[in-house]
Amino acid sequence: MALPPGQRAVAGFPRFGTHLHHPPPPVPADPVITMVGALSKDITLSVADLALLPRQELAADFHCVAGWSATGLRWEGVKFGAVYRAQVEPLLAPDAAVSHVVFEGLDGHRSVVWLEDALADDVLIADRLDGRPLDSDHGAPVRLVSPSQYGFVSTKHLCRVEFHTSRPPDPDRWSLIAAHRRARVWQEERHRRLSGRVVRPVYRTLIRPIRALSARGSRTGTRG
């Protein structure tokens, strides 16, 4: 299967994320996902309850914005769109038009996603990878999986979801590596201001140091 523009397949599935030289965050004894924002009341969805919802299996590659792709992955979980329609829509005010969703992980990473992208049919809240529960390096207990967007959108260790009626501030507003606001892999939307083709060689120089940092912080070895 062809890869998106500028991507190269790598062996295995390297660990990625924030603060790579540190171990992943500990998983709470009874993990929950809190949903807040343009709702009549907050929602607290336990990970145990999430596992009881209708399940979805998804074969999808993972594409890092730096230019590597992990191929042939098998994810399992619950469609985010199904959770949104069943849990969130009934609590929206009649005049509340949600436009953006913020996903936050236990490691502090936040991704800002357009609602239409979050509701795509292949977006999961996943708890299993390749037939096994997610390990801590790959986002335990649950993570977002959005295969059509670069990996920084797919927040690991998901613990909080915010619903906004206008675009919230960008987490990397002042960063030189300003992530694209949609990050669609087939459009090569890597950078907010520069074309994907221009930043490819710069991002690729980051792959080796990122893998080295990941190995230092990993709890499960090179597969991460």
Side-chain angles (χ1 to χ4, degrees):
M1 184 176 179
L3 292 175
Q7 295 298 114
R8 299 174 179 175
V10 296
F13 184 12
R15 179 184 177 230
F16 81 104
T18 57
H19 309 299
L20 289 173
H21 57 295
H22 295 305
V27 175
D30 297 304
V32 300
I33 301 174
T34 303
M35 300 185 178
V36 302
L39 307 173
S40 58
K41 64 177 181 179
D42 295 348
I43 302 168
T44 300
L45 183 65
S46 75
V47 170
D49 289 340
L50 187 72
L52 300 176
L53 298 177
R55 307 281 295 172
Q56 177 77 18
E57 295 186 5
L58 176 69
D61 300 336
F62 180 95
H63 307 293
C64 180
V65 71
W68 59 262
S69 294
T71 60
L73 304 176
R74 293 181 296 111
W75 302 97
E76 296 176 46
V78 177
K79 287 186 179 182
F80 176 75
V83 174
Y84 181 83
R85 286 185 285 272
Q87 303 285 336
V88 177
E89 281 190 337
L91 297 178
L92 293 175
D95 59 345
V98 173
S99 61
H100 293 80
V101 187
V102 177
F103 297 94
E104 182 174 344
L106 293 167
D107 58 358
H109 178 74
R110 288 166 61 90
S111 59
V112 180
V113 185
W114 288 26
L115 179 64
E116 65 183 274
D117 293 335
L119 295 181
D121 197 51
D122 60 353
V123 176
L124 298 184
I125 299 177
D127 58 6
R128 297 180 69 85
L129 171 62
D130 291 340
R132 299 185 297 272
L134 286 177
D135 61 39
S136 59
D137 286 345
H138 281 309
V142 295
R143 64 172 299 160
L144 188 72
V145 174
S146 183
S148 298
Q149 296 176 284
Y150 288 113
F152 63 82
V153 171
S154 296
T155 299
K156 300 195 297 185
H157 320 290
L158 185 63
C159 65
R160 181 181 171 91
V161 183
E162 301 172 4
F163 298 96
H164 294 261
T165 55
S166 61
R167 183 171 185 87
D170 293 301
D172 62 350
R173 182 179 178 186
W174 305 110
S175 172
L176 293 176
I177 306 177
H180 195 281
R181 287 175 173 164
R182 296 199 74 174
R184 294 171 295 185
V185 299
W186 290 101
Q187 284 83 351
E188 200 171 358
E189 295 173 335
R190 301 181 193 271
H191 195 279
R192 196 169 306 154
R193 291 178 287 274
L194 302 174
S195 75
R197 187 176 294 275
V198 167
V199 298
R200 276 185 206 173
V202 177
Y203 281 23
R204 282 177 181 158
T205 64
L206 302 175
I207 295 176
R208 184 168 294 180
I210 285 173
R211 294 197 74 160
L213 285 172
S214 298
R216 288 176 56 188
S218 173
R219 285 181 175 158
T220 58
T222 56
R223 180 174 161 77

